[in-house]
Amino acid sequence: GAVVSQHPSRVICKSGTSVKIECRSLDFQATTMFWYRQFPKQSLMLMATSNEGSKATYEQGVEKDKFLINHASLTLSTLTVTSAHPEDSSFYICSARGELGLAGGPDTQYFGPGTRLTVL
Amino acid sequence: QKEVEQDPGPLSVPEGAIVSLNCTYSNSAFQYFMWYRQYSRKGPELLMYTYSSGNKEDGRFTAQVDKSSKYISLFIRDSQPSDSATYLCAMVPGNTGKLIFGQGTTLQVKP
């Protein structure tokens, strides 16, 4: 149980284009989803928190107009990187936190496999 | 000073060794502690979680929390080459629901 998928796993795009990344909880309802960014040999940096049906809460320094987050249902959240530039190249990881009763406790986050974005 | 300190390593051990991974933290509001394992180019995978001080065992893994010293550990017994990965400690302060991660320790188990 508690499986989270991400699509695509890898994407290469040209500078100035927009890229959408999907995050799905496959076998549980995710009341909250999180989006992280990870640079090589570094830990995960939280970008934003999204709750189903409401606006995402962005961490300080994260441009909300550049990283658009939509959490349309209890199993799907999307991150759109708008007008991507080479400095946006990174590993983007989503996580989902489900309802009480899931193994791992109420604060446990289950992570997707990540999406590697390369902007040329 | 970072809220969570974790030695990035790398840590290299022979197969079969006991591995000790550690994190220290400064915020006494942390109440919930987790260890994740991350293989290269993959998302983190939950290994252990615990609320309270003391030990929690799951197979070859033991998580230890000492809240008085603000120190947590993960022990791996009979380490295997397949344990080679980055191990991240993570903590939740109060009711925020946000995970605060350590930097991660890279472990290599040599056959």
Side-chain angles (χ1 to χ4, degrees), chain B residues 23-35:
Chain B
C23 288
T24 59
Y25 61 97
S26 56
N27 188 346
S28 58
F30 287 132
Q31 296 181 4
Y32 188 50
F33 305 90
M34 283 162 272
W35 285 95

Side-chain angles (χ1 to χ4, degrees), chain A:
Chain A
V3 178
V4 177
S5 70
Q6 264 183 260
H7 179 80
S9 58
R10 180 175 295 189
V11 57
I12 301 172
C13 68
K14 292 182 179 180
S15 185
T17 61
S18 294
V19 174
K20 180 185 283 189
I21 302 169
E22 290 188 349
C23 177
R24 294 182 185 271
S25 57
L26 299 184
D27 51 3
F28 67 102
Q29 292 188 323
T31 52
T32 306
M33 286 185 168
F34 303 83
W35 287 95
Y36 294 83
R37 185 172 179 176
Q38 187 176 34
F39 292 104
K41 298 190 185 300
Q42 293 188 24
S43 193
L44 287 76
M45 182 190 79
L46 179 64
M47 298 174 66
T49 303
S50 74
N51 292 292
E52 185 264 339
S54 61
K55 289 185 178 180
T57 302
Y58 291 82
E59 295 299 300
Q60 192 172 10
V62 178
E63 299 176 60
K64 58 183 67 175
D65 293 332
K66 182 166 190 61
F67 299 99
L68 301 179
I69 292 171
N70 183 277
H71 193 161
S73 75
L74 286 172
T75 59
L76 173 64
S77 176
T78 60
L79 168 68
T80 301
V81 183
T82 62
S83 186
H85 288 91
E87 59 265 29
D88 298 324
S89 298
S90 190
F91 193 51
Y92 292 88
I93 310 175
C94 72
S95 72
R97 188 176 68 201
E99 66 275 17
L100 289 175
L102 270 180
D107 287 308
T108 300
Q109 294 179 24
Y110 297 92
F111 287 84
T115 296
R116 184 159 301 281
L117 170 64
T118 302
V119 185
L120 303 176

Side-chain angles (χ1 to χ4, degrees), chain B residues 51-101:
Chain B
Y51 290 99
S52 56
S53 285
N55 293 351
K56 182 176 181 179
E57 189 173 320
D58 184 2
R60 294 186 296 114
F61 299 92
T62 299
Q64 186 177 83
V65 174
D66 182 346
K67 288 189 176 181
S68 62
S69 301
K70 298 189 178 65
Y71 189 90
I72 69 170
S73 299
L74 177 71
F75 298 97
I76 307 174
R77 290 184 297 280
D78 188 25
S79 56
Q80 302 295 310
S82 58
D83 295 328
S84 300
T86 296
Y87 289 80
L88 297 147
C89 63
M91 309 179 189
V92 180
N95 295 321
T96 66
K98 294 183 181 180
L99 290 182
I100 308 298
F101 282 95

